[in-house]
Amino acid sequence: MGILVRPRSEGGGYGGWRREVDDIVLSADGAEYTVHETDDAVCVLDGWLCSGGGATELLALYRERGMSAVAAQDGQYVAVVHDRSRGETHLVADPGGFGNACYRASGFGYGSRPYDLGTATLSSEGLALYLTFQYVPVPYSIFEGVRRVPPGAVVTRRATGCQVRQQTSFPSPADPSTEGAAAPEELAARVLDLLTESLARHAAPHERLGMMLSGGIDTSTNATVLATRLGCRPRAFTASFREAGYDESEYAALVAERFGFEHVVVPVGPETVERLPDLVRGFDSPNADQAIVATQVIAERAAQLSCTHIVTGEGGDEVMGFPMSPNDDIHLVDLPQDSRELARFYLGQIALGSAEDRALVHRTLGVPEELAVDILGELYEEHRAHSALDRLLFGQWRTWLTEGVYRKDHHVFRAAGPTGVLPFADPRVMRFVAEMPAGQRYRALDGKAMLRAGIAPHLPDRILKRKKHKFWIPFAEWFRGPLRDHLHDSLLSSPVATDLLDPKLVRTLVDSHERGIADKSGILWALCFLDAWLSALPRRPHGAP
């Protein structure tokens, strides 16, 4: 559940651990928090550090070197340090952006979930950004008056008010002029070592281990490491689809057979969407990653088979392959160098709906149409000395990987029971890629040459020479077929369509998709998820459905 810090006058708090200290209430709940208390300070850590330490280590770092040292620690976490002697309360999110930390823009309150901070109004900016990115990017939130802590930043509350300070930036790539001659084969052993260390820590000690297996390079790499380096034989779960062009179970079966894994094929169909009201309950903010429906049924099946941990290949595309491969969708020379133009290019590749759809949504909500460009442009400027391709790569780490993919897996698995393990999103793996010389990184990541070289001795050519198969869910077909009634009976009459947006806009999206004029399945699914998520909130925001 996370951490919650509020004024004592508000009371409440989470039930796992709770303390009233000075004029505040600190509380935490869930499976990953640790606490260290002394006479003059309290530290609460939710998540994990790459060092293996916990709240005790963070408090020691704070005493020796201050919050800048705390904010620089690699891991996936949120932490609070309350210093009684100085009258300060600090909130920090890890430099990679995996920890989800929120704070009130005015007044005082820290928390892992935005709706626990007492807001009453939905944010028009947050809604517009969600319907652009599929999630609400930092520093915005879905609620008015609540902001999210940027990666590596510290929010400090003193008697004079709250201050946000950026302490560190992630990643720290090698100087773009640095040269490197290592071939992908030479790098493969090192990256496999790092993946082995991550899996040995988070997955291998657990006997009831499962993994998601598609037969693609990322999940096949996980399978190779688990079997050949760690001696594990997890249950391998694969999503299967009736629709042509989506099913990968044939390839997953090859990998499972090669390593002697029990292979569990889990059918995924449109009936899964009927359980959307239950699925959304685990999310602290809307997330329209379509893979949620497949992840959900696999997580539930794994829980039924008593798996306590599930290894996924999520993050492989974002960390070990280019956002768009130079041998696939784009050429390096085609990328704009200006950060704002690069932002517009990226939005054209990934955004929900067309540019016209986005403009209509933003105008309906009264939000500047260039807001998403502003956010991405500022992010790309952090690495303006690097190539446009590197800025896209590192930008995806701070956006889609942490905000979309990681949070989707985190919430789905937490709600179903097993713990999700994402070795490709381990900060040590990410730093290794960032610190490669640029030319070396291009060779290693293009076509995932580095990973292919590492697993080549263990897998057949049918796996190694497969073309990239993007993991899509057949919502385009479902919304024209078995889920058509859901759009007409639920979405078109929902308060999301009638109150938050313009009913004519939503009707136009539905009609355009049904008539085959354009594929609007992405934004239609985002609207369906948003409607279900708002309906499941513990308390409904004023003016919301």
Side-chain angles (χ1 to χ4, degrees):
M1 185 176 292
I3 298 172
L4 182 62
V5 185
R6 293 194 291 196
R8 183 183 287 197
S9 59
E10 295 183 6
Y14 297 155
W17 174 88
R18 185 179 184 278
R19 290 288 186 276
E20 294 186 0
V21 183
D22 299 328
D23 63 339
I24 64 174
V25 176
L26 296 92
S27 62
D29 207 347
E32 291 191 295
Y33 74 87
T34 58
V35 179
H36 185 63
E37 301 179 71
T38 64
D39 290 340
D40 62 347
V42 182
C43 178
V44 187
L45 168 71
D46 184 48
W48 54 269
L49 305 175
C50 287
S51 65
T56 302
E57 176 182 326
L58 286 189
L59 190 54
L61 276 172
Y62 170 73
R63 293 183 186 283
E64 294 171 9
R65 295 159 50 196
M67 283 305 297
S68 60
V70 174
Q73 295 305 296
D74 278 344
Q76 296 177 355
Y77 64 89
V78 171
V80 169
V81 175
H82 177 65
D83 187 331
R84 304 188 69 179
S85 63
R86 298 170 63 95
E88 298 177 345
T89 308
H90 308 279
L91 172 68
V92 62
D94 67 75
F98 294 97
N100 189 34
C102 308
Y103 64 99
R104 288 176 181 154
S106 61
F108 170 64
Y110 299 159
S112 299
R113 303 188 305 186
Y115 53 74
D116 287 328
L117 297 182
T119 187
T121 307
L122 289 173
S123 164
S124 295
E125 292 176 327
L127 287 168
L129 291 170
Y130 165 70
L131 293 173
T132 298
F133 289 101
Q134 308 179 54
Y135 55 86
V136 183
V138 166
Y140 295 88
S141 85
I142 196 68
F143 293 117
E144 193 70 41
V146 177
R147 285 290 183 263
R148 293 173 54 225
V149 182
V154 176
V155 182
T156 299
R157 179 233 189 184
R158 300 184 178 92
T160 55
C162 286
Q163 178 186 26
V164 182
R165 295 166 295 155
Q166 189 67 44
Q167 297 286 3
T168 187
S169 178
F170 183 91
S172 301
D175 186 288
S177 64
T178 304
E179 297 183 0
E185 294 78 8
E186 298 176 62
L187 300 170
R190 177 57 182 148
V191 77
L192 289 182
D193 285 344
L194 290 170
L195 292 171
T196 301
E197 291 172 13
S198 182
L199 286 167
R201 175 179 175 182
H202 297 290
H206 305 282
E207 294 182 0
R208 292 177 292 175
L209 182 64
M211 71 170 296
M212 297 180 72
L213 182 63
S214 68
I217 295 300
D218 304 327
T219 61
S220 296
T221 298
N222 285 337
T224 300
V225 171
L226 287 167
T228 66
R229 288 174 162 239
L230 296 172
C232 296
R233 294 294 183 271
R235 281 193 173 99
F237 296 88
T238 301
S240 68
F241 302 90
R242 293 187 296 269
E243 291 78 9
Y246 292 89
D247 192 82
E248 297 182 88
S249 54
E250 173 187 358
Y251 295 99
L254 286 175
V255 179
E257 182 179 7
R258 175 60 59 100
F259 295 125
F261 296 172
E262 178 185 347
H263 190 208
V264 181
V265 178
V266 184
V268 179
E271 64 279 358
T272 308
V273 178
E274 297 175 3
R275 298 165 51 221
L276 187 57
D278 294 327
L279 188 156
V280 300
R281 294 182 191 280
F283 285 79
D284 54 40
S285 185
N287 183 314
D289 183 349
Q290 294 184 8
I292 283 173
V293 295
T295 306
Q296 175 75 14
V297 294
I298 286 178
E300 291 177 347
R301 183 65 178 133
Q304 291 169 0
L305 295 175
S306 301
C307 292
T308 60
H309 290 70
I310 302 292
V311 177
T312 87
E314 299 278 32
D317 285 342
E318 292 76 19
V319 178
M320 293 292 171
F322 290 131
M324 287 77 65
S325 168
N327 290 334
D328 183 9
D329 301 307
I330 61 173
H331 298 285
L332 299 183
V333 295
D334 294 333
L335 289 173
Q337 298 302 308
D338 177 77
S339 291
R340 293 183 63 83
E341 289 303 316
L342 188 62
R344 293 187 182 94
F345 170 84
Y346 180 69
L347 287 170
Q349 302 291 315
I350 61 91
L352 294 173
S354 65
E356 292 77 15
D357 295 336
R358 297 196 302 276
L360 282 172
V361 167
H362 281 65
R363 286 199 292 271
T364 299
L365 294 170
V367 174
E369 294 180 24
E370 291 279 270
L371 179 59
V373 173
D374 294 341
I375 293 170
L376 289 174
E378 183 177 343
L379 180 60
Y380 295 152
E381 275 294 290
E382 291 184 18
H383 300 291
R384 59 182 174 272
H386 293 261
S387 72
L389 189 61
D390 272 347
R391 283 181 280 157
L392 282 178
L393 177 68
F394 301 142
Q396 279 218 143
W397 295 5
R398 291 268 296 276
T399 54
W400 177 239
L401 173 59
T402 54
E403 305 271 27
V405 168
Y406 173 79
R407 298 213 199 294
K408 177 260 297 181
D409 274 19
H410 176 74
H411 292 309
V412 169
F413 284 120
R414 181 180 63 182
T419 297
V421 180
L422 288 68
F424 291 109
D426 190 304
R428 291 163 295 192
V429 175
M430 298 169 71
R431 283 198 183 276
F432 172 70
V433 173
E435 290 170 359
M436 290 180 186
Q440 183 172 285
R441 181 166 51 249
Y442 299 157
R443 293 189 297 272
L445 271 57
D446 187 17
K448 298 188 179 175
M450 179 169 59
L451 292 184
R452 291 178 193 269
I455 63 177
H458 306 284
L459 292 169
D461 283 349
R462 285 194 68 194
I463 299 299
L464 296 170
K465 295 183 179 180
R466 275 188 76 191
K467 290 185 177 180
K468 170 66 180 174
H469 184 284
K470 295 181 179 179
F471 187 66
W472 297 114
I473 306 297
F475 273 106
E477 290 90 338
W478 291 353
F479 281 142
R480 293 189 183 108
L483 293 182
R484 182 181 181 277
D485 288 346
H486 181 86
L487 295 180
H488 285 265
D489 298 341
S490 298
L491 181 61
L492 287 175
S493 60
S494 72
V496 165
T498 60
D499 296 345
L500 290 182
L501 297 174
D502 182 346
K504 293 181 180 179
L505 168 62
V506 180
R507 167 64 73 177
T508 299
L509 293 172
V510 172
D511 289 346
S512 179
H513 185 80
E514 286 186 350
R515 294 165 58 191
I517 297 174
D519 181 359
K520 303 296 185 181
S521 58
I523 193 167
L524 291 174
W525 167 246
L527 291 171
C528 290
F529 192 100
L530 177 64
D531 178 54
W533 184 81
L534 289 171
S535 299
L537 283 178
R539 52 182 179 273
R540 303 174 77 83
H542 299 323

